[in-house]
């Protein structure tokens, strides 16, 4: 009898361990396929080893002689895994997400109590099936989705020059790179020399009229300075879709084939009136193994683990709930320490494969093709040194603000040092692209449009319509000074110091008619009152650029 009982205990421990391991590994595998991380040995092997340790700890907890405690452990594990679907594909409202996750926990508890001693074996079967389907679906899907979404025009446009149009997210303009910023004068001179050498006309005092990417690009792509950009946008569960794009419509009418490279945050491809030849979509949290291959193994493993736990729905929900909960408690005299959860962003590292793919596509292109890309570089976090080496340790990757969403004078200065290093890396990547175009003979006649979507946004505080009277010139520069550079046949290189909005500059880049710049509008920025309305405010002149 004792031998049978001992055998049953061993079998239960074994099946408990396998159940915990399969549940964790199936979920982790799904994440790794999503993140497109390809270095299996030694990186992923080591991480799976650590997950085995986690499964062993859970197995030990399951041996506590309490059926209720055992059910709770299994139910929590199931909920942590399945709640990702609730968080990612459900509604955006936090309270409804909480209700859905609570319901998932209760259903899981009921299921475990119903299955009783068969729980571990049933979970092994269910999550092995999930693991198998994850591999099948992962192999069917391309990591960076590239798809022809409509028929392309014929070859009549082959005589036209190619157009390369890059939106460099969060790239401030030279007019904002003043001596008041640490290294501002130096980076300004470096950029001016680079763009002069590359044959660009640089609009040093270009500005965005919006602090947010969605409104800024909706305004620019539709040449709209009115402050009524919401009519062009549809808000999705994650990000936005641009429903109307006058710029692309004009390019398409010129018989250009259009290739788009976009993040999954901002959708450019689903346009009724514009035919798109190819649409490639990348996720901002891709972990490109090649970009971090020179980092120490321990750092790579830690990065994967931190990105994985940051992807969990329970982690995301905790980040959403922590600020209001701490605020509510502080009003009642209870001050809890911040959890300090990692931000879970890789920023420009996710862009590298898309930029490489675009360079290859350009090298094979004929005339009459537009390559349009929205690239999250030099967007935070600040992961690159000036030579595009990935910073180590990864815990040093700063966001543009502190954990509470603001900056102090000291944190702002430090972030600008790191931001300017990432701008230098951006220039280095542009040089590689231009060199490749020169080698295949497409650079000389190509039209190249480079611009940001807003400033660095390393503000002391986010612009607020109710507090505009307290904003300094530095606050305006942080939020709205943006890059705009154009290289095209017939456009003389040099520096244009006029204060011009993105929408007017993109209209000029489309026609290259100098008359379109003859009447600059009064510099105005639009600050959000709420989710759908804006108020216009005068934008002060940026500091003069020295000769």
């Amino acid at each position: 009898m004792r031998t049978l009982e001992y055998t049953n205990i061993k079998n239960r421990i074994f099946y408990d361990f396998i159940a915990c391991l399969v549940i964790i590994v199936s979920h982790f595998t799904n994440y790794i396929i999503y993140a497109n991380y390809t270095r299996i040995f030694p990186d992923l092997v080591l991480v799976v080893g650590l997950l085995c340790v986690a499964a062993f700890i859970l197995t030990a907890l399951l041996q506590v002689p309490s059926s209720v405690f055992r059910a709770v452990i299994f139910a929590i594990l199931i909920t942590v895994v399945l709640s990702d679907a609730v968080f990612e594909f459900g509604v955006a409202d936090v309270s409804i997400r909480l209700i859905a996750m609570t319901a998932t926990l209760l259903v899981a508890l009921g299921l475990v109590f119903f299955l009783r001693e068969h729980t571990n074996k049933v979970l092994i079967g269910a999550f092995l099936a999930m693991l198998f389907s994850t591999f099948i679906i992962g192999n069917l899907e391309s990591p960076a989705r590239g798809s022809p979404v409509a028929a392309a025009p014929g070859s009549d446009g082959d005589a036209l020059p190619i157009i390369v149009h890059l939106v460099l997210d969060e790239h401030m303009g030279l007019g904002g790179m003043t001596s008041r910023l640490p290294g501002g004068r130096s980076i300004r001179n470096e950029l001016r020399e680079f763009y002069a050498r590359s044959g660009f006309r640089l609009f040093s005092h270009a500005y965005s009229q919006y602090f947010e990417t969605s409104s800024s690009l909706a305004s620019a792509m539709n040449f709209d300075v009115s402050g009524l950009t919401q009519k062009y946008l549809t808000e999705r569960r994650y990000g936005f879709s641009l429903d109307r794009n006058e710029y692309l419509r004009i390019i398409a009418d010129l018989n250009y084939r259009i290739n788009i490279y976009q993040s999954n945050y901002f959708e450019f491809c689903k346009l009724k009136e514009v035919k798109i030849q190819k649409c490639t979509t990348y996720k901002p949290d891709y972990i490109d193994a090649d970009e971090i291959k020179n980092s120490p193994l321990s750092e790579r493993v830690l990065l994967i683990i931190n990105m994985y736990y940051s992807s969990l729905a329970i982690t995301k929900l905790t980040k959403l709930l922590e600020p209001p909960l701490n605020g509510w408690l502080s009003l009642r005299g209870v001050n809890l320490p911040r959890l300090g959860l990692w931000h879970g962003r890789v920023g420009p590292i996710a862009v590298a494969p898309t930029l490489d793919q675009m360079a290859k596509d350009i090298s094979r292109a004929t005339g009459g093709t537009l390559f349009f890309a929205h690239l999250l570089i030099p967007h935070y976090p600040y992961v690159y040194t000036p030579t595009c080496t990935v910073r180590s340790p990864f815990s040093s990757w700063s966001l543009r603000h502190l954990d509470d969403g603001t900056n102090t004078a000291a944190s702002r200065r430090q972030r600008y040092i790191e931001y300017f290093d990432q701008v230098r890396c951006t220039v280095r990547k542009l040089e590689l692209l231009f060199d490749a175009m020169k080698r295949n003979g497409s650079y000389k006649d190509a039209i190249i449009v480079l611009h940001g979507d807003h400033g660095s946004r390393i503000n002391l505080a986010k612009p607020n319509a109710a507090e505009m009277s307290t904003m300094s010139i530095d606050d305006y520069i942080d939020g709205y000074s943006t890059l705009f550079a154009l290289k095209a046949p017939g456009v003389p290189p040099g520096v244009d110091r006029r204060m011009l909005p993105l929408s007017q500059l993109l209209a000029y880049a489309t026609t290259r008619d100098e008359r379109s710049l003859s009447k600059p509008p009064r510099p105005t920025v639009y600050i959000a009152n709420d989710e759908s309305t804006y108020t216009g405010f005068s934008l002060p002149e940026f500091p003069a650029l020295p000769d």
Side-chain angles (χ1 to χ4, degrees):
M1 182 67 71
R2 288 183 178 179
T3 302
L4 180 59
E5 183 179 349
Y6 178 68
T7 300
N8 288 338
I9 292 174
K10 283 201 309 182
N11 287 341
R12 188 179 75 169
I13 293 174
F14 173 76
Y15 285 119
D16 283 351
F17 175 75
I18 296 301
C20 291
L21 183 61
V22 170
I23 292 171
I24 295 171
V25 169
S26 66
H27 187 259
F28 176 71
T29 300
N30 184 65
Y31 168 73
I32 285 299
I33 291 175
Y34 166 87
N36 192 34
Y37 194 78
T38 55
R39 191 179 299 277
I40 296 175
F41 183 84
D43 302 24
L44 296 183
V45 172
L46 283 174
V47 175
V48 171
L50 293 172
L51 296 179
C52 288
V53 174
F56 180 81
I57 294 171
L58 287 172
T59 302
L61 291 173
L62 288 169
Q63 307 319 306
V64 172
S66 168
S67 59
V68 174
F69 186 78
R70 177 180 174 82
V72 169
I73 294 296
F74 266 131
I76 290 175
L77 184 57
I78 294 169
T79 302
V80 167
V81 172
L82 297 184
S83 60
D84 284 0
V86 175
F87 195 93
E88 293 300 328
F89 301 108
V91 295
D93 186 84
V94 175
S95 60
I96 296 179
R97 282 174 170 171
L98 273 173
I99 293 171
M101 291 174 71
T102 303
T104 303
L105 178 63
L106 294 175
V107 170
L109 270 173
L111 179 65
V112 174
F113 274 120
F114 174 75
L115 294 172
R116 296 184 180 275
E117 68 271 13
H118 303 295
T119 298
N120 47 20
K121 295 178 183 178
V122 172
L123 290 178
I124 290 171
F127 281 91
L128 276 177
M130 184 180 297
L131 181 61
F132 180 75
S133 64
T134 296
F135 275 115
I136 296 299
I137 295 172
N139 287 326
L140 292 176
E141 291 183 347
S142 171
R145 190 177 79 248
S147 58
V149 296
S155 60
D156 293 345
D158 287 352
L160 296 167
I162 68 168
I163 301 176
V164 177
H165 184 162
L166 306 183
V167 180
L168 303 173
D169 203 300
E170 226 161 62
H171 198 314
M172 76 185 310
L174 268 68
M177 297 173 177
T178 69
S179 57
R180 290 198 291 269
L181 297 175
R185 181 182 300 173
S186 176
I187 186 68
R188 180 183 67 205
N189 292 337
E190 291 173 39
L191 289 182
R192 182 156 59 175
E193 192 278 331
F194 166 71
Y195 283 109
R197 184 175 71 247
S198 303
F200 280 82
R201 185 173 181 182
L202 187 62
F203 293 85
S204 60
H205 286 54
Y207 64 92
S208 168
Q209 293 186 285
Y210 297 87
F211 192 80
E212 305 84 6
T213 294
S214 55
S215 295
S216 174
L217 294 183
S219 166
M221 304 297 277
N222 288 287
F223 318 129
D224 190 327
V225 296
S226 69
L228 302 174
T229 59
Q230 296 303 306
K231 60 186 176 183
Y232 306 119
L233 294 165
T234 295
E235 186 170 4
R236 302 176 296 158
R237 188 198 56 77
Y238 174 69
F240 295 85
S241 179
L242 188 59
D243 301 326
R244 180 180 170 188
N245 194 320
E246 186 66 11
Y247 167 74
L248 288 185
R249 187 196 64 77
I250 291 173
I251 297 298
D253 286 348
L254 294 174
N255 212 30
Y256 269 87
R257 296 174 291 271
I258 298 176
N259 291 353
I260 292 179
Y261 307 80
Q262 62 180 15
S263 78
N264 66 347
Y265 176 77
F266 200 95
E267 176 67 62
F268 291 94
C269 295
K270 295 180 179 179
L271 297 167
K272 295 179 180 179
E273 74 276 16
V274 178
K275 294 180 178 180
I276 308 297
Q277 175 177 259
K278 179 181 179 183
C279 182
T280 299
T281 303
Y282 66 92
K283 296 183 178 70
D285 43 4
Y286 276 166
I287 309 174
D288 184 37
D290 288 337
E291 283 293 286
I292 64 172
K293 64 183 179 182
N294 294 322
S295 298
L297 174 60
S298 60
E299 279 296 305
R300 300 199 303 267
V301 170
L302 280 173
L303 175 62
I304 294 168
I305 292 172
N306 275 271
M307 287 297 292
Y308 175 53
Y309 96 72
S310 297
S311 74
L312 297 175
I314 192 69
T315 306
K316 295 176 181 177
L317 199 58
T318 301
K319 290 178 181 178
L320 288 173
L321 294 176
E322 184 183 10
L325 178 60
N326 283 351
W328 183 83
L329 289 173
S330 65
L331 292 175
R332 288 153 180 80
V334 179
N335 294 306
L336 296 178
R338 296 186 64 86
L339 294 176
L341 297 174
W342 195 58
H343 52 69
R345 294 173 178 265
V346 294
I349 287 176
V351 170
T354 299
L355 193 54
D356 291 343
Q357 182 59 54
M358 188 179 70
K360 292 177 183 176
D361 293 345
I362 291 173
S363 69
R364 295 190 294 262
T366 58
T369 305
L370 164 70
F371 297 90
F372 175 88
H374 176 207
L375 304 174
L376 296 177
I377 187 170
H379 194 284
Y380 70 89
Y382 309 124
V383 305
Y384 285 125
T385 67
T387 59
C388 293
T389 302
V390 175
R391 292 182 183 274
S392 185
F394 76 88
S395 56
S396 67
W397 297 357
S398 300
L399 301 183
R400 61 182 173 87
H401 49 60
L402 299 171
D403 290 342
D404 64 357
T406 65
N407 274 306
T408 63
S411 69
R412 178 174 176 268
R413 288 183 62 83
Q414 180 58 37
R415 278 158 173 74
Y416 260 114
I417 292 172
E418 297 167 3
Y419 170 77
F420 286 150
D421 281 350
Q422 196 142 285
V423 170
R424 290 183 173 95
C425 172
T426 304
V427 170
R428 188 181 181 92
K429 289 181 178 292
L430 290 175
E431 283 184 307
L432 293 174
L433 175 63
F434 295 167
D435 288 345
M437 293 176 66
K438 290 172 183 175
R439 286 194 297 272
N440 66 37
S442 62
Y443 185 81
K444 180 180 178 182
D445 295 325
I447 298 170
I448 303 178
V449 184
L450 307 173
H451 64 83
D453 55 343
H454 42 62
S456 69
R457 300 193 299 182
I458 309 178
N459 297 65
L460 293 175
K462 182 178 179 180
N464 184 314
E467 301 174 2
M468 290 301 291
S469 61
T470 66
M471 284 187 64
S472 68
I473 182 62
D474 290 334
D475 294 322
Y476 283 105
I477 286 173
D478 292 341
Y480 303 102
S481 167
T482 197
L483 173 76
F484 198 97
L486 172 65
K487 187 195 82 69
V491 175
V495 177
D496 190 317
R497 295 171 170 80
R498 286 176 289 179
M499 291 277 290
L500 295 165
L502 271 182
S503 52
Q504 188 175 18
L505 286 169
L506 190 54
Y508 165 69
T510 306
T511 64
R512 296 180 297 286
D513 184 346
E514 294 290 340
R515 291 172 297 181
S516 64
L517 300 179
S518 61
K519 295 181 179 179
R522 187 181 72 175
T524 302
V525 294
Y526 295 98
I527 313 296
N529 300 309
D530 49 42
E531 294 182 356
S532 59
T533 63
Y534 289 82
T535 298
F537 293 88
S538 294
L539 176 66
E541 289 280 337
F542 296 156
L545 193 69
D547 293 328

